[in-house]
Every structure is written in C-alpha cells, then in structure tokens.
Amino acid sequence: MLNVREWGTGPKTAVLVHGILSDSGCWWRVGPDLASRGYRVVAVDLPGHGRSAPMPDATVERMAAEVARAVPADADLAVAHSMGSFILGAALTPRRVAYVDAPTGASHRLPEEALRATYEKARSKRTLEALAEKHPGWDPFDREAEAEAAQHFDVETAVALLVNSGGRDHTPVQRGVVIRAEGSRFVPEDTPGAITIKDADHHVWYGHHEEFMAAICG
C-alpha cells in the first residue's frame, strides 16, 4: 500500500498527486488550505517516492493501480502535477481535476542509460543550498520539502516508468482546468483555457500559493 498523508475531515474529498522527484510533502501548504475549505485531503506518495516502496518494474498501469487502492475513488477534486497527471488519468475519475504544468502530446523515447544519468544528476542537485540559489522566491519549507523528497527518490523506479511511458501521448484524457507556469516547457502558451501563473516555474504553487488556490478551486 502506498504511503499517504491526510488533512481535514470535511464532507468533500480532494486527492493530490505529485510529480517526479517530489512526494506528498510538496503539498504542505495546499493540503491544509483545502482542508480549511471543507475537504478531506489525501496526498499520495507514488511508488519510489517519499515513504512508498520502490517499484523497479514500474509502468503507468501498475502505478495507477496502486494509487486507485490508496485514495478515494470518487474524489470531488484531484490535483495532479507533471508526471502525476498521467498516473491520475489512468487511476481515477474525479468530479473536478486540475492539471498542473502537466505534459501534453507524445513524450520522447530515451534510453535507460540517459534517463538514469539525468535523474541521478537531478537528485544530487536537490540540496537546500542549491534550491536556495535556484529558487530564492520559494518559501524555505518549499525547499525543505524538495530536498527531503530527493533523499527518498528511487531512480530505478523513475527510469522504469519513463521507459514504459516513452512515446505515449500524455495529453490529459479527462477534461479539467490546466494550470501552467509562465514559459512552461510542457504546456503550450496557446492551450485553450489554460491558466498561466506569472513568474512561476514548474512547481507552480511554490511562491504563488494564493493564485494557485484560486485556480484549482475555481
């Protein structure tokens, strides 16, 4: 069973799904805020992330099956960041969904060696010092969340997942609100209906909490 963290006991339910290299700790501010708005919030650690066990034979379908077992199936709201969007799409059918800087179109097929080197390097760079230099606008707790997540991140799980998903079209299959970072590498600027948060980077909510909450809550 995947590790989850929860906030609130409200009558509505919200599910939060992080992206690659992060974990449920990235929602440290979003979760309590949603709870204050009447939600029971469940944030999941995907396999190989946070406190969930590695999955060396990871596929989209296997990860999705684990998510479906760990969180409410009929969530009123789901928020999925980046890679988490195509896991969510294969796992749940929430009443409302927010896709946060989520990939669209077909992904590139990359060899295992290149993926492994990329994510080993990315993990090594997620230190408090490096994050402070790269993201001075983030809250210190944002940087702490990402640095801690990097310590638990299993590269082999990510490599297996990305090899499996390479070449697939990751455009969200369920309609929902699309939230993009300004200058996003993943969501084209002309995406119909997309909400762009100015000066945000890929972790759109870090440093832009109020704008992000307005976007996901409508």
Side-chain angles (χ1 to χ4, degrees):
M1 181 66 75
L2 299 181
N3 182 64
V4 299
R5 66 180 79 197
E6 299 188 28
W7 299 271
T9 57
K12 300 180 289 184
T13 54
V15 171
L16 309 179
V17 185
H18 64 81
I20 203 162
L21 264 166
S22 292
D23 63 25
S24 60
C26 71
W27 308 113
W28 67 271
R29 191 175 180 188
V30 174
D33 197 337
L34 285 171
S36 74
R37 301 174 191 229
Y39 287 92
R40 173 195 168 216
V41 185
V42 182
V44 64
D45 284 340
L46 293 174
H49 296 75
R51 304 295 178 178
S52 292
M55 183 184 282
D57 57 349
T59 66
V60 172
E61 290 75 20
R62 289 189 183 110
M63 278 202 178
E66 290 298 312
V67 170
R69 282 191 283 269
V71 304
D74 56 348
D76 296 286
L77 170 67
V79 181
H81 177 231
S82 194
M83 174 200 75
S85 66
F86 52 88
I87 304 301
L88 171 71
L92 305 175
T93 54
R95 294 181 177 87
R96 173 180 170 83
V97 59
Y99 299 104
V100 185
D101 221 37
T104 59
S107 63
H108 298 293
R109 292 184 183 275
L110 296 173
E112 289 186 25
E113 295 78 8
L115 289 167
R116 188 171 290 109
T118 294
Y119 283 99
E120 289 282 7
K121 183 177 181 180
R123 181 177 62 179
S124 70
K125 286 188 172 183
R126 291 210 178 180
T127 64
L128 285 174
E129 295 77 11
L131 289 166
E133 182 176 351
K134 186 176 181 180
H135 302 289
W138 287 10
D139 188 284
F141 286 110
D142 299 335
R143 296 193 286 268
E144 288 182 17
E146 292 303 309
E148 182 176 355
Q151 294 177 24
H152 299 286
F153 173 64
D154 181 62
V155 171
E156 295 307 314
T157 298
V159 170
L161 176 69
L162 294 172
V163 168
N164 168 259
S165 62
R168 295 194 191 190
D169 185 346
H170 295 308
T171 303
V173 295
Q174 302 170 37
R175 293 185 63 183
V177 61
V178 176
I179 305 168
R180 65 184 294 276
E182 186 176 26
S184 174
R185 296 187 295 116
F186 301 99
V187 184
E189 188 174 2
D190 59 356
T191 299
I195 299 171
T196 298
I197 297 187
K198 185 176 174 59
D199 297 327
D201 66 6
H202 185 49
H203 290 78
V204 177
W205 60 101
Y206 286 166
H208 301 274
H209 179 76
E210 298 303 329
E211 301 101 307
F212 182 76
M213 294 303 299
I216 66 172
C217 293

